[in-house]
Amino acid sequence: MLTGCESDAARLRESMVKRLVQAGVLEDPAWRAAVEEVPRHRFVPGFYLPADRCDARGLTVWEPITAELDRDRWLTAAYSDMSLVTQFVGEEPDWSDPHVRRGGTPTSSSAPPSFALRMWEDAEVTEGHTVLEIGTGTGYSTALACERLDSSHVTSVDVDPRRLAAASNALHDCGYAPTLAAADGTYGYWPEAWFDRIVTTCSFRTVPPALIAQTRPGGKILLTLSGWLHGHARALLTVAEDGTAEGPLVPGTVSFLPAPSHAAPPFGNPGDWAAGLSGKPRAARHRPERLTAMDEDASHLRFLVQNAVPAAQMLTVDGIVHVIDVSTGSAATLTSADGCWQVREGGPVKLWERVEQIVDSFDDADRPGPESFTLHVRGGEQRLWHPQMPAFPWFGIR
């Protein structure tokens, strides 16, 4: 017989499933059955939600939510299609005595159920597949895979051993027993290779060679690619017999934290870079707002530009836009006067000129969407290709 909490959870889970079906998310009956069975609340004993106010300094106020503090709000949020923040800046909260937070960077969360399903469905996961999930998180998406495939077909790794321990306990308590390991997903997980599918919930600058090596020929990798310009794209790659891989970009952007070894390096004082520039400024052909806007179109364009300047970073200080490449010592600054942007460049790579070339090609091709691009990977390097745009250069992490 179900307890009061479990009975309420089952009712809320049923309502969530109906909403996801109505939204067109749960079209596959097998995944619908998985969502109907997996108790999400067991994987989120506590989490943070943003309050409807900021503090006096303008920082987001994050309120802790647990069963002890407010059982109804906890259960309702657990069975809503929303992201639940479970960790800030790598600090594991004490859910027996949680405190309100002001500001801070979330470093772990339970993804919305619709998103977890989207990842598995976009990877074309089906019965009989062996899968590697990179980024266990709370374990909820891992449980969905176990419910669909059987635990013996599921391997999941996470770089944070504390997160993994909590997920392991929740999975075990729900009757799931996948292979779990505290490991850097950049290197996959050799003891369980080969896999039919690999799905990542962190982002990489380039496709890690180990993931291709651990995928069966004909198998697929769904991963998020990002870079130091903060452009994101998802790619679904099919691995060939010769160890190369290629596939299309998948529509819809997803922002994941980067794998630790792929995070951007510090660049020092932007003023020092600007002071080292020489020569006369020139008129910029494209405004920096094309890249700096916080919308899906700008994120897509930032991703394309990253393929031409893969080590570049961009920031705005006092209205001046700085583009900095610590790997080559190149830099550019853009300043606005009377609505016109002027650019100065220095170093062996003309950074903004390369940006402009990509933007020109993008506009000339009538601004194609992500699904019209193909990613090719060979020997640890990758190249983006589009039939109406000049070939992007091969690049990789050396």
Side-chain angles (χ1 to χ4, degrees):
M1 184 174 180
L2 295 176
T3 64
C5 179
E6 294 301 321
S7 176
D8 289 343
R11 174 179 52 81
L12 290 168
R13 186 159 62 252
E14 181 180 358
S15 297
M16 182 184 73
V17 168
K18 290 180 179 178
R19 293 193 301 271
L20 292 175
V21 170
Q22 292 171 353
V25 175
L26 279 176
E27 296 180 354
D28 186 329
W31 284 118
R32 175 173 178 169
V35 179
E36 289 173 337
E37 289 297 323
V38 176
R40 190 187 186 203
H41 68 286
R42 300 274 196 91
F43 295 88
V44 284
F47 48 85
Y48 285 95
L49 293 179
D52 57 3
R53 69 188 190 284
C54 293
D55 70 3
R57 295 176 294 170
L59 298 176
T60 300
V61 176
W62 294 93
E63 298 178 338
I65 311 295
T66 67
E68 289 71 23
L69 292 172
D70 190 334
R71 197 199 75 158
D72 289 344
R73 188 181 182 190
W74 169 68
L75 275 178
T76 299
Y79 289 103
S80 63
D81 192 34
M82 63 190 299
S83 180
L84 308 174
V85 174
T86 54
Q87 187 190 72
F88 285 87
V89 292
E91 298 174 1
E92 199 66 21
D94 178 5
W95 294 117
S96 65
D97 185 27
H99 300 282
V100 171
R101 292 191 62 101
R102 288 170 172 77
T105 302
T107 50
S108 186
S109 64
S110 177
S114 62
F115 176 73
L117 287 164
R118 175 184 170 192
M119 295 294 289
W120 291 123
E121 290 185 329
D122 284 347
E124 301 175 6
V125 171
T126 191
E127 282 78 6
H129 281 161
T130 56
V131 303
L132 169 63
E133 176 189 41
I134 295 175
T136 312
T138 64
Y140 176 69
S141 64
T142 316
L144 291 175
C146 290
E147 187 67 38
R148 171 72 187 269
L149 303 175
D150 189 85
S151 296
S152 62
H153 286 206
V154 180
T155 299
S156 186
V157 301
D158 201 289
V159 73
D160 186 337
R162 296 167 301 176
R163 287 277 81 209
L164 190 74
S168 176
N169 290 336
L171 286 161
H172 181 269
D173 289 346
C174 292
Y176 303 115
T179 297
L180 300 174
D184 184 343
T186 306
Y187 306 102
Y189 195 63
W190 284 104
E192 295 294 320
W194 289 343
F195 300 99
D196 296 300
R197 297 290 187 270
I198 295 180
V199 175
T200 76
T201 59
C202 62
S203 65
F204 299 95
R205 290 179 64 210
T206 58
V207 181
L211 302 191
I212 294 177
Q214 294 175 29
T215 303
R216 297 181 191 278
K220 297 186 178 185
I221 303 169
L222 178 70
L223 80 168
T224 298
L225 294 167
S226 66
W228 299 343
L229 289 180
H230 304 296
H232 295 80
R234 295 190 304 149
L236 181 62
L237 304 174
T238 300
V239 176
E241 291 276 358
D242 62 2
T244 61
E246 67 176 64
L249 299 187
V250 181
T253 58
V254 173
S255 178
F256 280 133
L257 291 172
S261 58
H262 287 215
F267 46 73
N269 186 346
D272 293 340
W273 290 87
L277 299 178
S278 60
K280 295 181 178 180
R282 65 170 177 85
R285 295 202 308 276
H286 295 287
R287 301 171 63 86
E289 291 93 339
R290 290 288 301 274
L291 300 184
T292 57
M294 300 308 294
D295 56 40
E296 191 168 319
D297 290 341
S299 177
H300 174 47
L301 187 53
R302 286 196 299 272
F303 175 74
L304 300 183
V305 166
Q306 284 168 179
N307 287 267
V309 285
Q313 300 180 66
M314 184 165 57
L315 74 159
T316 302
V317 179
D318 296 330
I320 300 175
V321 178
H322 299 262
V323 185
I324 297 167
D325 182 343
V326 299
S327 69
T328 65
S330 303
T333 61
L334 291 100
T335 56
S336 177
D338 300 323
C340 298
W341 285 90
Q342 298 287 314
V343 59
R344 296 173 65 210
E345 297 176 285
V349 178
K350 302 303 181 185
L351 294 174
W352 198 250
E353 184 175 322
R354 285 198 180 181
V355 170
E356 291 173 326
Q357 290 170 353
I358 297 299
V359 177
D360 285 341
S361 296
F362 180 65
D363 290 343
D364 291 343
D366 199 24
R367 304 186 180 186
E371 64 279 359
S372 61
F373 289 84
T374 303
L375 188 70
H376 300 264
V377 185
R378 71 180 188 197
E381 296 182 325
Q382 69 185 35
R383 182 174 66 185
L384 199 61
W385 182 83
H386 188 276
Q388 295 176 280
M389 295 179 66
F392 291 91
W394 288 95
F395 78 91
I397 299 175
R398 301 297 186 183

